[in-house]
Structure formats: structure tokens, C-alpha cells
Amino acid sequence: MNARAMVTVFVPGDAGSVSLGADTIATQLAQECRRRELSVRIVRNGSRGLYWLEPLIEVTTPGGRIAYGPVGTKDLPALLDAGLLDGGPHALRLGDIASHEWLRSQQRLTAARVGVVDPADIDDYIAHGGYVGLSTALTMPPHDLVRAITESGLRGRGGAAFPTGIKWQTVHDQRAAQKYIACNADEGDSGTFSDRMIMEGDPFALIEGMTIAGLAVGATQGYIYLRVEYPHAARALAKALHTARERGYLGGDLRDSGRDFDISVRIGGGAYICGEETSMLESLEGRRGEVRVRPPLPAIKGLFGQPTVVNNVITLATVPVILARGARAYRDFGMGKSRGTIPLQLAGNVKRGGLVERAFGLTVNELVYDYGGGSATGRPVRAVQIGGPLGAYLPESQFDTPLDYEALAAKDALLGHGGVVVFDDSTDMARMARYALEFCAIESCGKCTPCRVGSTRGVELIDRMLARSNGGRAGDLALLDELCDTMANGSLCGLGGMTPFPVRSALKHFREDFLG
Ligand SMILES: Cc1cc2nc3c(=O)[nH]c(=O)nc-3n(C[C@H](O)[C@H](O)[C@H](O)COP(=O)(O)O)c2cc1C
Ligand code: SF4
């Protein structure tokens, strides 16, 4: 090896970047440096969320981190010839990525460390502000912790937007020998990946958030119910949990406080319905993921019949930020009843897809055009679907809608987990409505008739409409609308209950597609 100091190169190891070739880049970079006798330390960080630039690698230089991307394997020799390890000039050089407009304009609180830190290194986490929240939490009585979360205005980021403080208060108030924190990491919505990015890029944030939740409500055991399709997240969590335990941030007598909390990971059942909280609890208990009738609420009778906080990954990973910065500081972001920030996930037919964390209130226009750059095909954008497969389609005429819970509800839409999928003008919206019903038919747990049977009848009805020539279609449209009514009002859970959102929005805004 030559005499120069060891250089650190960050090559993302998250599933998104790996799917774009990051593992091969990491292997070839190590080989090429060995061949040239250059000494490098390769850190597998998370993606910063600029997916159109992945694999995006960063080199630590005395002047700061210098990024290059998207890097292909064929680029590596030329990059090294150009002085990659010194941040040398090259066509792929992006400079300091943190000052890139796409990132600079964001308000990253929950995802502040994603892509920045080494997800396997607890000291790096601490050096970047990690465990400040837990240190604060350990000095506070449980009811003050719950009050801080209530005052922050945090609402569940899994989809239902229920106030987190109220949920925690309910569990806090139960008398029980055992309580649980169950983290919903099933992330089943199409076009969503923020949970994955946190777990792969900053797993200690979730661990810290769950630990604070445990202290607040009196739970000593947590479970992460992890989507089966997330093996990279499983590995990152396993490493981080082991380290946290070794360093006294998990387990018995947390940081010599006399308080206990530990976390186990459970791999999900591989069905969309397993993300619904009561199905998730069934699956966690080892049964088929099937919806439980409510009441009782999980907060009163949840996992193994005990009071349980069920929260999404983003909800829990935001808790340390609130404790570290203060409830008021967090509340200062956002608009109306939607307080704080939301990590939006931009996907589908879009030029620049990725993670955009902003205070609630960014408009769809700003997201799709300023961040996304319009469609990837270059054709006009026709619609976006917001909030996963059960979310409404918004036409371009409504792209001035702010992304906040109430503003979207006023447009018969929902924000859900913050996934926004873009479609261009070649999309047949009747087929998208059919797809929503087909998805529901495939994923239905079968417990109630409006969902199990209604979804299949809906698919048949749209097929019939699309196969026919013009005659009799007005009647079919009315029948489809009536079917949506039955599903919305008669289904036991959100899968059957919300499938009408995409169907009705397609009917309302793109009626011509149903009429052939
Ligand atoms: C069909 C269906 C699927 C769901 N999938 C998820 C999921 O994958 N992840 C998630 O966090 N919440 C999901 N939810 C919402 C959960 O039921 C629940 O509201 C959430 O986990 C509570 O956490 P939060 O308050 O932090 O959002 C789903 C709901 C329904 C009806
Ligand atoms: S709406 Fe569908 S998924 Fe939900 S309980 Fe009924 S059958 Fe099961």
C-alpha cells in the first residue's frame, strides 16, 4: 500500500441502491484500489434518497464529502485515474451533495441522518445527535413523555394519521403486568420506501424511538414486524440491535437507569393485509394475518391480549427528534392539524424520484415538478396516486393541493404513508381502477363479504364495460358507484373500505376512459 492516509468512501448498501448495482460497485472499488495499492475504507451507508443518481458514492476529503453519481462499473477505473480519492474532477462529480438544491431545500428531521451516517456504527449515530432524545427521556416521568408527544402534534405516519399522544396515553393509563410496543414495518403501500430507508440507513433512530415509547407507556418489550421482502433492513436491524444491547442502550437497566426495554424482529407474513394493525398482531402471535374486530382497541387489548402501542416506523423514528428538539420546535413545522414534517416518497413515471422530507403543506405541483422534474417519459403528467394502492388519483387540475391530511381529505383523497406515484397521459385510468379492485380481490383476507366478493364483482363489471361498445354503459357506471358505496360502508377494515378511493376518483376525474 502506498503512504497516503486511508480514505473513506461511502457506497450505499440499501436495497434501492443495490438494485441499481451498488454491491458490484463496492466490490470492484475494493478490488481496483487493492490492485493500485490505494488504501480505502468502504462504508455501506443508506441512500440519501436521490435515486436517479444512484449508485451515488461519496469520498471523504479534507474539504468535506465529495459525491459522484450515478456510477457504473465501467466508470471506476477512469474515476480513480481522475483522482476520485482526492475528490478530483470528472463528469460524474456532483460535489457536496448536501448542498444540492434537491436536498438543501428539504427539511429533514426524521431522515436527517439517512445517507450521512454508517448505519452499523453506534458512535457515528451518537456523533450525529443520536441518543440525545433517550438521555432526555430518561430524566422525565412517563406522563411528561406522553405529554411531549401529544404537544408535538405528531400523528401516525402509517396511514390513519391518528394522534400518537392519545394512543400512548391510552396504553400508559392501562394497568397490566406486561405492555408492548409493536412497530409496524410491513410497508406494503405501492411507491413507498421511507420505512425501509430509515431501517437500512439509520436503524438506531427506530430503536431509540421504540425505547422512548416503552419508557413512556411502561412497556418492556418491543417487536418490529418487518416486511418479508426487506432482507437488507433485517440485516441492518440485527446488527444495530446487537450493538445497542452491547452498549447498554437496550436490555436490562438501560444506561444504568433501572429501566428495562428490549426489541425483537419478527418477519412478516408476506400479505398486504398483514400491515393492518390487528392483522399484524394476529400474525405476530403466529396466526394467519386476518383482521380482528374492534373494539377492543390494540391499545387496550393488543399483542397477546396486553395493552400495545402499534406505531409505524416513521412515527417511532420521529420520537427522538421531538425529545431532542422539543415538542414546540417540532410543532412549528407544518400547517393546520398536520404538524411537523413528512418524508414523501416520489415514484412511478417521474424523472427524479426519491425521498423528499418537507413540512406538511408542500403542493403536489412542487413535489412533482420542482423535485420530480415531471414525467420520466417526457409526456404530460396525467395523474398522481397518493397514499398507496388504496389512495385516490388526483388529476393535474388539482395539483395545487397542499400535501396535508385535511387538504387532501377535502378533495376525497388521503395522504396515507406519503407515497406519491406519477402517471403520464398514456395511462388508461379505467384500467387503473380495475387494477385497484383486482389488488383488493387478491389481497382480501376474506373475512367480510363486501370486500371479498365486491372486489371480484367490480373487476368483472369493469371488464364488461371495457369489452362492450357504447350501449348501456351509463347503467354500468351507476352500478360501479353503488358497489363502491357497499364496499366503503360495509367492509370491516380499510382494505375493502378504501378501495373505492382509487375507483371513484378515476370515475370522477377520468370518466371518459370508462366510456371507451
Ligand atoms: C389494509 C391496510 C394496510 C396497512 N398497512 C400498513 C403498513 O404496511 N404499515 C403501517 O405502518 N401501517 C399500515 N396500515 C395502518 C395500520 O393499520 C395502523 O394504522 C398503523 O400501523 C398505526 O401506526 P401509526 O399510528 O404510527 O400510523 C394499514 C392499514 C390498512 C387498513
Ligand atoms: S375489508 Fe377485506 S381485508 Fe378487511 S376484514 Fe374485510 S375481507 Fe378482510
Side-chain angles (χ1 to χ4, degrees):
M1 294 285 152
N2 66 23
R4 59 176 295 154
M6 168 107 73
V7 176
T8 299
V9 182
F10 292 86
V11 182
D14 70 295
S17 306
V18 166
S19 73
L20 293 162
D23 273 355
T24 315
I25 297 292
T27 309
Q28 293 202 347
L29 179 65
Q31 282 168 353
E32 191 64 24
C33 286
R34 214 172 303 125
R35 199 178 66 75
R36 295 178 188 223
E37 300 194 341
L38 297 167
S39 149
V40 286
R41 179 176 81 102
I42 297 176
V43 172
R44 303 305 302 271
N45 58 336
S47 168
R48 296 211 191 214
L50 298 79
Y51 272 110
W52 77 99
L53 292 175
E54 293 291 359
L56 180 153
I57 69 177
E58 287 179 84
V59 182
T60 307
T61 73
R65 276 158 76 153
I66 300 295
Y68 297 81
V71 177
T73 47
K74 286 204 281 309
D75 300 318
L76 277 176
L79 275 166
L80 285 164
D81 290 347
L84 171 79
L85 301 187
D86 299 310
H90 186 276
L92 297 177
R93 189 181 192 275
L94 300 162
D96 170 19
I97 201 70
S99 60
H100 190 293
E101 181 56 20
W102 211 82
L103 271 179
R104 205 162 46 86
S105 57
Q106 296 195 29
Q107 291 156 310
R108 288 205 173 182
L109 300 181
T110 309
R113 278 178 298 260
V114 173
V116 177
V117 293
D118 177 352
D121 184 349
I122 197 167
D123 292 315
D124 204 16
Y125 179 67
I126 293 166
H128 286 84
Y131 281 123
V132 172
L134 180 66
S135 305
T136 310
L138 283 168
T139 66
M140 293 166 70
H143 61 268
D144 282 356
L145 275 176
V146 175
R147 190 161 51 219
I149 297 305
T150 306
E151 282 174 4
S152 73
L154 181 66
R155 291 165 71 179
R157 302 288 193 251
F162 188 79
T164 307
I166 295 180
K167 192 180 279 185
W168 286 24
Q169 186 72 54
T170 310
V171 178
H172 170 273
D173 292 348
Q174 305 306 305
R175 293 176 70 112
Q178 180 68 58
K179 299 179 186 178
Y180 295 106
I181 307 297
C183 170
N184 192 340
D186 204 44
E187 196 160 56
D189 284 354
S190 42
T192 62
F193 43 84
S194 60
D195 293 354
R196 177 182 66 69
M197 288 187 68
I198 288 284
M199 292 185 286
E200 293 172 346
D202 192 17
F204 291 107
L206 174 59
I207 295 168
E208 184 182 355
M210 288 180 71
T211 310
I212 296 170
L215 295 175
V217 304
T220 53
Q221 179 64 46
Y223 289 97
I224 300 173
Y225 185 82
L226 180 66
R227 182 177 174 76
V228 64
E229 294 90 346
Y230 281 178
H232 298 80
R235 284 195 288 275
L237 285 170
K239 258 191 213 162
L241 288 168
H242 177 76
T243 310
R245 229 170 264 131
E246 250 183 7
R247 295 284 292 268
Y249 286 96
L250 271 183
D253 195 19
L254 287 176
R255 310 298 295 159
D256 303 323
S257 66
R259 312 283 301 275
D260 305 339
F261 189 75
D262 213 334
I263 299 174
S264 301
V265 175
R266 293 286 179 272
I267 302 299
Y272 183 69
I273 197 59
C274 287
E276 191 282 335
E277 59 182 6
T278 61
S279 289
M280 183 192 87
L281 295 174
E282 283 289 294
S283 183
L284 265 176
E285 290 181 15
R287 284 186 293 278
R288 180 174 185 260
E290 201 175 72
V291 172
R292 290 180 185 172
V293 178
R294 272 172 297 195
L297 294 171
I300 292 166
K301 199 163 180 281
L303 189 61
F304 305 116
Q306 302 301 314
T308 303
V309 167
V310 180
N311 272 142
N312 170 254
V313 172
I314 298 297
T315 315
L316 289 162
T318 302
V319 165
V321 179
I322 293 169
L323 266 292
R325 291 189 170 222
R328 259 176 193 287
Y330 187 74
R331 211 192 158 79
D332 281 347
F333 291 88
M335 62 181 280
K337 291 185 196 158
S338 305
R339 310 309 316 176
T341 60
I342 172 120
L344 298 157
Q345 303 121 87
L346 188 55
N349 187 346
V350 67
K351 226 175 245 145
R352 297 191 294 263
L355 187 80
V356 178
E357 182 176 349
R358 284 283 300 252
F360 287 95
L362 184 78
T363 65
V364 179
N365 260 326
E366 288 169 316
L367 182 67
V368 170
Y369 295 110
D370 297 353
Y371 285 100
S375 75
T377 48
R379 297 178 67 101
V381 174
R382 188 167 195 215
V384 291
Q385 186 177 30
I386 307 177
L390 313 179
Y393 290 102
L394 236 62
E396 230 223 346
S397 57
Q398 292 189 346
F399 280 12
D400 56 348
T401 310
L403 290 156
D404 103 315
Y405 297 120
E406 279 68 35
L408 282 165
K411 299 266 162 74
D412 295 323
L414 47 99
L415 185 49
H417 186 44
V420 178
V421 180
V422 181
F423 298 87
D424 76 12
D425 67 347
S426 65
T427 313
D428 180 337
M429 299 307 290
R431 295 211 170 274
M432 297 314 293
R434 184 196 184 280
Y435 174 73
L437 286 157
E438 188 187 20
F439 178 81
C440 180
I442 292 169
E443 296 293 339
S444 169
C445 83
K447 193 156 181 162
C448 63
T449 317
C451 167
R452 187 185 67 245
V453 179
S455 52
T456 301
R457 291 292 95 87
V459 172
E460 291 165 0
L461 184 53
I462 295 185
D463 280 345
R464 199 172 78 202
M465 288 160 74
L466 296 179
R468 261 198 225 162
S469 59
N470 276 338
R473 286 204 177 149
D476 285 344
L477 287 176
L479 190 58
L480 185 57
D481 198 45
E482 207 177 297
L483 178 73
C484 285
D485 250 355
T486 308
M487 289 181 71
N489 297 319
S491 297
L492 192 57
C493 87
L495 180 49
M498 284 157 53
T499 295
F501 273 105
V503 179
R504 281 194 150 138
S505 58
L507 267 176
K508 182 171 169 189
H509 303 298
F510 308 99
R511 207 172 182 84
E512 63 279 12
D513 289 15
F514 292 81
L515 297 172

